[in-house]
C-alpha cells in the first residue's frame, strides 16, 4: 500500500497544475519557486512532477560520482504493481564447460509483481527563503534533491520500511564472501565469482573510504578499463563491498510520479519545510548475480 500523497494531511493545501511538469524546460527548483510565489500565510502547496527527482540533481551532469541508481537499468512504468520474471538459482557451484554444467542451466523462473513505494525527505526552509525565488530554486535543486538521492541510495541498499523494496544487501539468494586485507585481490576474485552464474560484473558499491583507497592504489582506473562502474555511498558499511551484474540482475522501476510540497509550520520551531517525494520500485530478476564481501 502506497502512503498518502506528500502533504495530503496538511490543512489548506493547494495542489497546482504546472506548465512544465516533466521538467523539459525548467528545473524542479525553478518550477517550485514559480509555483509558491505569493502563497498565502499558513497555506501549504503541493507541486507535482512527471519525473524521477533524484535523476535531475544538477551536479550528476558534471561529476563522475555515481549513485547506486546509476548502476541499474531503468524502466518507465505505469503507476501500478509491475510484473517481472524472477529467476533464482537452485544450484550454485563452479561452472563446468557445458551449458548443462553451468548454474544457469538449473535456474527456475516465475512471474512476480514488484510494488511501488514513495521515497520522501523533509528539509527545513530558512526563514525568508520564500521571498527569494532564485535562491529558493537553487536550494531545492542543489540541497533538497541531493538529500533525496541519499534516501534513494539507502532504500536500494537496505530496503524500504513498507517492504515494497528489498535492499540489495539483504536479497534472498545474495551470495557472500570474505573481504581480506588485500582489497584489490578480494575484488578481482569476487568479480570472477560473480561471473560463475553467467553474469558480467559491471558494477561495485563501496563506502567512500574504500573508494579513495582504490584511487590511491590505482585500482579504480583498472576497474574502469575492465568496464566496471564504481558507486560510492555512505549508505554501505565501510567493511562491505557489493559486486554484481547490476544491469542484468535488477531493474529500477520509475512511474514518473513525484512532488515537492511546501509545508507551513512543519519545520523546527514552527518554521516552514519542503518535502520531496518520488515513487520507485525494484524488480529483482537474478539475485544470485550479486556477491557481498564483508570483513570477518
Amino acid at each position: 500500500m502506497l502512503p498518502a500523497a506528500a502533504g495530503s494531511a496538511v490543512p489548506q493545501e493547494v495542489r497546482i497544475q504546472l506548465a512544465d511538469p516533466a521538467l523539459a524546460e525548467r528545473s524542479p527548483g525553478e518550477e517550485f519557486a514559480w509555483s509558491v510565489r505569493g502563497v498565502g500565510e499558513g497555506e501549504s502547496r503541493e507541486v507535482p512532477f512527471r519525473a524521477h527527482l533524484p535523476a535531475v540533481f544538477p551536479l550528476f551532469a558534471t561529476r563522475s560520482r555515481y549513485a547506486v541508481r546509476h548502476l541499474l537499468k531503468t524502466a518507465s512504468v505505469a503507476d501500478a504493481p509491475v510484473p517481472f520474471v524472477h529467476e533464482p538459482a537452485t544450484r550454485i557451484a563452479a561452472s563446468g564447460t557445458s551449458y548443462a554444467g553451468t548454474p544457469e542451466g538449473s535456474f527456475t523462473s516465475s512471474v512476480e509483481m514488484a510494488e511501488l513505494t514513495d521515497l520522501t525527505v523533509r528539509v527545513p526552509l530558512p526563514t525568508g527563503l520564500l521571498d527569494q525565488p532564485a535562491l529558493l530554486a537553487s536550494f531545492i535543486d542543489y540541497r533538497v534533491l541531493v538529500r533525496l538521492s541519499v534516501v534513494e541510495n539507502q532504500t536500494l541498499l537496505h530496503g524500504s520500511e513498507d517492504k515494497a523494496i528489498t535492499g540489495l544487501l539483504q536479497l534472498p539468494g545474495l551470495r557472500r564472501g570474505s573481504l581480506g586485507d588485500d582489497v584489490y585481490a578480494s575484488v578481482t576474485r569476487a568479480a570472477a565469482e560473480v561471473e560463475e552464474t553467467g553474469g558480467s560484473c559491471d558494477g561495485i558499491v563501496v563506502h567512500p573510504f574504500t573508494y579513495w583507497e582504490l584511487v590511491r592504489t590505482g585500482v579504480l582506473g583498472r576497474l574502469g578499463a575492465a568496464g566496471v562502474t564504481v558507486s560510492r555511498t555512505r549508505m554501505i558499511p565501510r567493511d562491505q563491498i557489493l559486486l554484481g551484474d547490476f544491469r542484468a540482475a535488477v531493474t529500477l522501476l520509475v512511474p514518473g510520479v513525484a512532488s515537492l510540497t511546501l509545508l507551513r509550520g512543519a519545520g523546527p520551531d514552527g518554521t516552514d519545510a519542503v518535502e520531496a517525494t518520488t515513487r520507485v520500485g525494484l524488480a529483482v530478476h537474478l539475485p544470485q548475480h550479486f556477491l557481498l564481501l564483508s570483513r570477518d
Side-chain angles (χ1 to χ4, degrees):
M1 180 68 67
L2 289 171
S8 59
V10 178
Q12 301 182 29
E13 178 183 317
V14 177
R15 181 180 173 92
I16 67 166
Q17 291 300 119
L18 298 181
D20 187 25
L23 304 175
E25 302 292 337
R26 292 189 289 269
S27 72
E30 289 169 337
E31 284 284 11
F32 182 78
W34 179 87
S35 301
V36 300
R37 291 181 306 168
V39 66
E41 190 69 29
E43 178 187 332
S44 293
R45 179 162 293 183
E46 180 181 354
V47 182
F49 299 98
R50 293 197 303 269
H52 182 51
L53 290 181
V56 293
F57 173 55
L59 294 183
F60 279 144
T62 56
R63 283 179 175 170
S64 57
R65 178 167 187 172
Y66 302 104
V68 176
R69 173 176 50 80
H70 290 123
L71 305 183
L72 317 180
K73 66 180 178 296
T74 300
S76 297
V77 298
D79 186 18
V82 180
F84 69 96
V85 176
H86 180 57
E87 294 185 89
T90 58
R91 174 177 59 86
I92 296 292
S95 182
T97 56
S98 68
Y99 174 74
T102 64
E104 64 265 37
S106 62
F107 286 1
T108 60
S109 62
S110 61
V111 175
E112 307 290 341
M113 300 296 293
E115 299 291 333
L116 304 179
T117 190
D118 285 345
L119 309 182
T120 301
V121 66
R122 183 175 293 186
V123 181
L125 292 176
T127 301
L129 187 61
L130 290 178
D131 300 324
Q132 304 290 333
L135 192 59
L136 174 61
S138 180
F139 183 79
I140 295 297
D141 289 334
Y142 287 91
R143 301 307 309 144
V144 175
L145 295 189
V146 72
R147 287 165 164 84
L148 191 58
S149 185
V150 173
V151 172
E152 183 181 60
N153 278 345
Q154 171 192 322
T155 303
L156 291 176
L157 291 175
H158 299 282
S160 58
E161 290 186 7
D162 62 5
K163 310 301 182 185
I165 292 178
T166 300
L168 299 178
L169 299 179
Q170 284 92 34
L171 288 179
L174 169 73
R175 291 183 290 157
R176 298 178 184 272
S178 177
L179 178 59
D181 293 333
D182 187 335
V183 175
Y184 187 29
S186 296
V187 165
T188 52
R189 283 196 298 267
E193 188 65 33
V194 166
E195 301 188 358
E196 280 293 313
T197 58
S200 178
C201 185
D202 61 11
I204 301 178
V205 180
V206 300
H207 189 276
F209 275 79
T210 304
Y211 178 90
W212 289 107
E213 179 63 16
L214 296 176
V215 172
R216 185 188 69 82
T217 58
V219 174
L220 186 68
R222 293 197 286 274
L223 289 173
V228 179
T229 302
V230 180
S231 166
R232 67 186 189 270
T233 173
R234 296 162 295 160
M235 298 300 103
I236 191 170
R238 294 187 186 188
D239 60 352
Q240 292 186 345
I241 297 177
L242 180 66
L243 304 92
D245 186 344
F246 284 80
R247 293 188 180 275
V250 295
T251 303
L252 181 66
L253 308 172
V254 178
V257 177
S259 63
L260 289 165
T261 304
L262 171 64
L263 297 174
R264 291 295 203 175
D269 303 321
T271 57
D272 297 331
V274 62
E275 189 169 88
T277 298
T278 199
R279 190 165 297 168
V280 297
L282 190 69
V284 180
H285 310 289
L286 299 155
Q288 61 273 17
H289 276 19
F290 290 104
L291 195 156
L292 179 63
L293 297 181
S294 302
R295 205 169 298 281
D296 297 330

